[in-house]
Amino acid sequence: MSRIAKNSIKIPEGTSCVFDNNVLTVKGKNGETTLKVHDKFTIKNENNEIYVLPLNENDKTNPMWGTTRAHVSNSIQGVISGFSKTLELHGTGYRASISGINLKLQVGYSHDIDYEIPKNVKVECPKPNIIKISSADKELLGAVASKIRSFRKPEPFKGKGIRYENEYVRKKAGKTVGGAS
């Protein structure tokens, strides 16, 4: 039986939640998100608190109960304060810029990479080697950050590439000169 799923989620002022046909719609100051809720669970809204409840007594041991509650909590937090990630570009000549709805990356290839930014994600480049990504949808934010990082992952010899802020890259020793004797 899940301990996390039993807890209620408080709805702050200025936020509205509507549950209809297994779809939860949350509106807040940062926008609107929709979440498809697993069909074994229902959402009950009372006294500005949301409860995720299983429809069947046997589903109290289902691990999806806690997962569903976490997704609902992330949707509410996303429309209130939002989520953000920061990526850093390490390497000589590596830079990023925004042109229209595209993120332009120069990361050591013979061509520039143009990545089209999804409409629910906000990307800004305060410096040429820093990319700040923010969104109300935590799952979409992680997918976009992962996709941008995949264009040039950090390599283990010089540490060049695109990495998350405060990510530690373990460096390997290079080739040694001289033969084995």
Side-chain angles (χ1 to χ4, degrees):
M1 197 151 140
S2 176
R3 294 187 210 162
I4 294 172
K6 291 185 211 173
N7 297 339
S8 66
I9 305 164
K10 293 185 177 166
I11 304 172
E13 290 184 26
T15 307
S16 66
C17 299
V18 178
F19 181 68
D20 190 34
N21 293 333
N22 283 356
V23 175
L24 177 70
T25 304
V26 183
K27 294 179 185 174
K29 67 178 182 179
N30 281 355
E32 176 180 338
T33 61
T34 58
L35 174 70
K36 183 162 180 2
V37 178
H38 198 279
D39 58 352
K40 292 185 177 185
F41 305 103
T42 185
I43 293 180
K44 188 170 131 186
N45 186 353
E46 62 180 35
N47 299 333
N48 282 339
E49 289 188 350
I50 286 185
Y51 296 92
V52 178
L53 303 171
L55 293 174
N56 190 349
E57 193 68 28
N58 296 335
D59 288 329
K60 285 192 173 183
T61 58
N62 190 336
M64 284 301 295
W65 188 18
T67 303
T68 303
R69 189 239 179 237
H71 286 306
V72 170
S73 176
N74 286 339
S75 294
I76 292 172
Q77 184 182 349
V79 298
I80 297 167
S81 59
F83 298 100
S84 66
K85 288 191 181 225
T86 304
L87 296 173
E88 299 173 344
L89 281 69
H90 289 271
T92 306
Y94 286 17
R95 60 180 148 274
S97 61
I98 296 175
S99 59
I101 60 167
N102 289 334
L103 175 67
K104 185 177 181 181
L105 296 170
Q106 297 171 344
V107 286
Y109 295 118
S110 61
H111 60 282
D112 295 345
I113 297 172
D114 287 331
Y115 176 69
E116 187 175 338
I117 302 167
K119 65 178 181 177
N120 294 336
V121 177
K122 181 182 174 194
V123 177
E124 53 188 34
C125 297
K127 292 183 181 177
N129 64 336
I130 293 179
I131 303 169
K132 291 193 176 194
I133 310 165
S134 58
S135 176
D137 188 355
K138 190 174 188 178
E139 188 175 343
L140 179 63
L141 174 74
V144 168
S146 176
K147 180 67 178 173
I148 293 171
R149 184 179 182 270
S150 73
F151 292 130
R152 180 69 95 171
K153 288 186 179 176
E155 55 97 11
F157 295 103
K158 292 184 180 178
K160 294 165 62 170
I162 302 172
R163 63 175 87 161
Y164 294 109
E165 184 180 39
N166 299 326
E167 179 182 0
Y168 178 73
V169 177
R170 280 181 84 176
K171 293 188 179 175
K172 293 181 178 179
K175 290 183 179 179
T176 56
V177 179
S181 50

